[in-house]
């Protein structure tokens, strides 16, 4: 699907800043991410980034390569820029370019859309493992033509040779185009290109299909339909594919049309046969607390807590099954450790995209996920604001693998989402004011231990949340449990949060709760057994403990919350 217009409600607002109590506070948590590439002038437009890690390139293994959509308003000739990072995404430098390889009247064409980088994991045809392929959608002036072109690099991305134009399509309007090539290997080890196709517009506004190459991309077989709808207006598109632990495959894609562009998934035993019929539109991944994704999905499989690994799924935005947009829309990643079967959970994305006022960076259009080799972190790359004209932002953050730790020493709140209040970082502490809540970790966590230091900076209550699901902006707008520390009465209270506060048990500290003093709180959840304890941080004083039993929230993420106080947290840790 080649659509670049989204409602302003789906785009995230720019962060605002106010000052209080020595903090410079933002009204949203979640770091905006570093910069992979910043727009150079008002003519330039970007979107749709792709990042890979070299794994079959000898001494170059571990280097990150990136590219992204790029075109100019004045329709001057364009090119894909290939960038590299030798420090795991901290800094980026130019490496190479790939331009329109066709010749003849009107060439070189100006539009460079939907690139995809792929490193051969094994020899294919005449080409050894480590050979790089770049597929892209090159458009003519006025987008009257769309051509899939393929380039090949034998020197790890520094130089690119045009191979061929292996599919040709028509214009954006009326729909006759081809879109979004995605390269991978099928179970037989053959090169596959999945893509979106509008060329059967009379019967299908758009379908998902694939081509197979037996020789590493020199030649291609016939088109095979993978996903279609019996309603002409439906538009399945933007496929990404992950290979599962048993050798089967899962495809993610959007299905645009009434009621929107919902993200679906579909299974294949071999990467070539997708269900008994293309007219099977697959299933919509959902979480138990009612989140599902909308538009331009990206799916990866990472090392995980079991043999099946973990599937991670990002998209442009998120909605609620009960209606309306999710409060964390554009900031979450869905998780599944059962090869895509059953319910999914969610976690905060490593960064939040910023709306680009210029419109030159198409915010959150087709996010890219790149897991670390050990599965402990995930890198999100998206078009975003945060530069005068826009940029491609990139940020790595923790996944849901335990143990989890955040001491905030890096000066970032990557992996946290807030739901109200004002949040800031000062030194190695995370601070809030007013009725504030910030959530991290996975809504799929069940039994765990949560530790953190907390300091009240004004009279009132603040504490820890655990087994959190379905959070919202109100003080008690969450389902889960809380351990609240209160300066009024000097007590630690354990209770349930479910759109209202239901205390289970409370214990008073012998010396009360003092303003400006660090306390260490520990909470444990195991089945229906819940307990919390508190003591002065860094001291060997006896813990004050409180216990309860409740089974209404069997799983959920962690959180920090202040109900009516200014507070700080540090040394957050989650273990099994």
């Amino acid at each position: 699907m080649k659509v670049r217009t989204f409602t302003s409600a789906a785009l995230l607002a720019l962060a605002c800043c106010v000052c209080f109590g020595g903090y410079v506070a933002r009204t949203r948590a979640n770091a905006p991410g570093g910069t992979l590439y910043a727009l150079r002038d008002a003519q330039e437009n970007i979107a749709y980034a792709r990042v890979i890690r070299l794994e079959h390139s000898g001494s170059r293994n571990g280097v990150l390569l990136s590219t992204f959509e790029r075109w100019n308003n004045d329709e001057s000739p364009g090119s894909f820029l290939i960038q590299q990072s030798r420090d795991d995404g901290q800094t980026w430098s130019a490496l190479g370019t790939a331009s329109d390889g066709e010749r003849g009247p009107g060439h070189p064409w100006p539009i460079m859309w939907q690139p995809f980088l792929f490193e051969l994991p094994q020899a294919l045809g005449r080409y050894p493992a480590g050979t790089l392929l770049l597929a892209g959608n090159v458009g003519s002036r006025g987008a009257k033509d769309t051509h899939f072109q393929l380039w090949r690099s034998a020197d790890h991305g520094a130089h690119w040779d045009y191979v061929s134009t292996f599919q040709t399509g028509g214009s954006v309007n009326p729909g006759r185009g081809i879109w979004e090539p995605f390269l991978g290997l099928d179970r037989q080890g053959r090169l596959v290109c999945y893509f979106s196709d509008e060329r059967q517009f009379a019967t299908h506004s758009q379908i998902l299909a694939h081509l197979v190459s037996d020789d590493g991309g020199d030649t291609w077989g016939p088109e095979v339909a993978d996903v279609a709808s019996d309603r002409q207006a439906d538009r399945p598109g933007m496929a990404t594919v992950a290979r599962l632990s048993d050798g089967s495959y899962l495809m993610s894609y959007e299905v645009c049309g009434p009621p929107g562009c919902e993200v679906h998934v579909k299974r294949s035993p071999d990467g070539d046969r997708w269900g008994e019929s293309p007219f099977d539109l697959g299933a919509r991944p959902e979480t138990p607390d009612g989140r599902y994704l909308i538009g331009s999905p990206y799916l990866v499989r990472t090392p995980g807590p079991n043999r099946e690994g973990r599937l991670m799924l990002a998209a442009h935005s998120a909605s609620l099954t009960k209606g309306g947009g999710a409060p964390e829309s554009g900031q979450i990643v869905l998780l599944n450790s059962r090869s895509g079967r059953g319910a999914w959970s969610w976690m905060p994305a490593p960064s939040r995209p910023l709306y680009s006022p210029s419109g030159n960076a198409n915010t959150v259009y087709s996010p890219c996920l790149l897991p670390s080799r050990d599965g402990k972190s995930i890198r999100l790359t998206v078009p975003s604001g945060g530069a005068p004209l826009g940029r491609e932002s990139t940020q790595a953050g923790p996944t849901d693998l335990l143990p989890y730790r955040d001491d905030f020493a890096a000066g970032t709140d990557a992996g946290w989402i807030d739901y109200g209040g004002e949040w800031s970082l000062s030194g190695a502490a995370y601070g809030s004011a007013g009725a504030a809540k910030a959530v991290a970790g996975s809504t799929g966590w069940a039994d765990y231990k949560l530790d953190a230091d907390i300091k009240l900076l004004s009279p009132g209550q603040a504490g820890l949340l655990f087994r959190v699901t379905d959070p919202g902006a109100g003080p008690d707008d969450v389902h889960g449990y809380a351990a609240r520390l209160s300066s009024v009465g000097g007590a630690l209270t354990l209770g349930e949060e479910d759109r209202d506060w239901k205390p289970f048990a409370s214990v008073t500290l012998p010396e009360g709760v003092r303003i400006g003093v660090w306390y260490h709180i520990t909470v444990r959840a195991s089945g229906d057994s819940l307990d919390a304890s508190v003591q002065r941080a860094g001291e060997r004083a006896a813990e004050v403990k409180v216990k309860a039993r409740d089974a209404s929230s069997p799983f959920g993420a962690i959180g920090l919350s202040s109900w009516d106080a200014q507070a700080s947290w540090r040394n957050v840790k989650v273990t099994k």
Side-chain angles (χ1 to χ4, degrees):
M1 182 187 77
K2 188 66 181 180
V3 174
R4 288 292 190 275
T5 55
F6 295 99
T7 64
S8 59
L11 301 175
L12 297 171
L14 289 167
C16 300
C17 293
V18 298
C19 292
F20 70 94
Y23 285 100
V24 178
R26 289 192 308 275
T27 58
R28 296 198 69 85
N30 223 336
T35 297
L36 185 152
Y37 177 84
L39 284 164
R40 299 169 179 174
D41 58 60
Q43 290 292 326
E44 193 177 16
N45 297 268
I46 56 173
Y48 203 102
R50 295 295 181 257
V51 181
I52 65 170
R53 178 181 294 105
L54 298 184
E55 297 180 342
H56 309 279
S57 297
S59 62
R60 295 276 294 176
N61 283 352
V63 173
L64 304 188
L65 299 185
S66 70
T67 191
F68 43 88
E69 271 193 7
R70 186 167 170 265
W71 72 99
N72 295 314
N73 292 330
D74 62 6
E75 294 196 313
S76 57
S79 62
F80 289 125
L81 302 181
I82 313 301
Q83 304 209 124
Q84 66 174 340
S85 174
R86 293 176 173 269
D87 53 12
D88 201 30
Q90 298 302 305
T91 60
W92 295 85
S93 61
L95 178 62
T97 61
S99 302
D100 179 9
E102 296 184 43
R103 299 293 180 263
H107 291 281
W109 284 353
I111 298 173
M112 309 299 288
W113 278 336
Q114 302 143 13
F116 192 83
L117 287 165
F118 185 68
E119 182 190 26
L120 297 188
Q122 62 192 49
L124 293 182
R126 299 180 291 123
Y127 308 105
T131 301
L132 292 177
L133 297 177
L134 169 62
N137 196 2
V138 182
S140 61
R141 287 166 179 80
K144 296 177 181 178
D145 306 274
T146 48
H147 288 188
F148 284 173
Q149 295 188 20
L150 187 69
W151 298 263
R152 186 178 286 119
S153 174
D155 59 4
H156 314 301
H159 300 90
W160 294 86
D161 297 319
Y162 170 73
V163 177
S164 67
T165 295
F166 63 100
Q167 283 285 289
T168 60
S171 64
V172 175
N173 293 307
R176 296 291 187 273
I178 51 175
W179 315 109
E180 303 128 12
F182 181 98
L183 301 178
L185 300 186
D186 67 8
R187 197 162 189 170
Q188 297 181 53
R190 302 177 300 176
L191 183 65
V192 182
C193 179
Y194 304 95
F195 65 102
S196 307
D197 190 348
E198 295 177 326
R199 293 174 297 185
Q200 303 175 39
F201 194 81
T203 51
H204 302 290
S205 177
Q206 184 169 273
I207 68 169
L208 283 171
H210 75 268
L211 311 168
V212 174
S213 173
D214 291 310
D215 54 15
D218 287 340
T219 61
W220 296 86
E223 179 177 356
V224 178
D226 297 322
V227 186
S229 174
D230 54 11
R231 294 191 303 181
Q232 189 278 338
D234 285 347
R235 296 176 58 82
M238 305 195 79
T240 60
V241 177
R243 184 167 182 170
L244 306 178
S245 60
D246 63 358
S248 64
Y249 293 77
L250 196 70
M251 176 189 289
S252 71
Y253 48 93
E254 63 184 17
V255 180
C256 290
C261 288
E262 296 180 356
V263 172
H264 285 217
V265 295
K266 190 174 182 179
R267 197 172 302 274
S268 168
D270 53 15
D272 300 299
R273 296 170 294 152
W274 295 90
E276 295 183 0
S277 165
F279 295 100
D280 172 11
L281 289 177
R284 185 179 77 180
E286 297 179 6
T287 67
D289 60 352
R291 271 69 176 165
Y292 66 94
L293 298 179
I294 299 292
S296 60
Y298 200 91
L299 176 71
V300 295
R301 177 176 171 265
T302 78
N306 55 39
R307 188 184 65 83
E308 294 180 79
R310 182 202 303 97
L311 291 168
M312 307 188 78
L313 179 62
H316 174 270
S317 52
S319 289
L320 299 175
T321 55
K322 62 185 178 184
E328 54 285 302
S329 182
Q331 297 186 81
I332 63 172
V333 176
L334 265 57
L335 308 166
N336 184 286
S337 297
R338 298 180 57 199
S339 296
R341 297 179 176 87
W344 295 62
S345 57
W346 65 265
M347 57 170 263
S351 65
R352 62 181 172 93
L354 301 172
Y355 173 59
S356 173
S358 71
N360 294 52
N362 291 273
T363 306
V364 207
Y365 187 78
S366 192
C368 178
L369 294 175
L370 179 68
S372 62
R373 282 177 280 192
D374 60 6
K376 294 181 179 179
S377 70
I378 187 76
R379 176 170 295 279
L380 173 69
T381 304
V382 292
S384 176
L389 296 171
R391 64 188 179 127
E392 293 285 356
S393 73
T394 187
Q395 179 73 42
T399 63
D400 64 325
L401 283 183
L402 295 178
Y404 169 93
R405 181 188 297 272
D406 197 341
D407 59 10
F408 305 110
T412 176
D413 54 358
W416 291 85
I417 298 177
D418 90 78
Y419 298 81
E422 297 164 344
W423 290 87
S424 66
L425 288 159
S426 179
Y430 201 27
S432 75
K437 178 166 61 257
V439 171
S442 168
T443 61
W445 286 348
D447 295 343
Y448 56 85
K449 173 187 172 186
L450 167 63
D451 288 275
D453 295 338
I454 180 173
K455 177 170 63 175
L456 296 180
L457 300 174
S458 69
Q461 297 182 84
L464 304 181
L465 303 174
F466 58 108
R467 287 187 174 173
V468 170
T469 58
D470 197 19
D476 300 313
D477 191 4
V478 65
H479 185 67
Y481 303 111
R484 295 188 179 191
L485 194 64
S486 175
S487 65
V488 180
L492 175 69
T493 303
L494 181 63
E496 180 185 14
E497 296 277 9
D498 192 12
R499 275 63 192 176
D500 198 4
W501 173 235
K502 177 185 176 183
F504 293 149
S506 184
V507 62
T508 301
L509 280 67
E511 298 181 358
V513 175
R514 299 183 180 182
I515 306 300
V517 173
W518 283 106
Y519 293 88
H520 184 80
I521 296 180
T522 299
V523 297
R524 297 176 180 85
S526 179
D528 66 351
S529 176
L530 314 172
D531 68 74
S533 62
V534 62
Q535 64 183 132
R536 280 211 189 188
E539 296 186 4
R540 295 185 177 181
E543 291 182 321
V544 176
K545 299 181 179 180
V546 61
K547 296 183 178 182
R549 287 192 175 275
D550 188 80
S552 59
S553 295
F555 47 78
I558 64 167
L560 314 174
S561 187
S562 58
W563 286 266
D564 53 4
Q566 182 178 338
S568 290
W569 292 260
R570 67 184 186 188
N571 299 327
V572 178
K573 182 172 66 173
V574 184
T575 54
K576 292 183 179 179

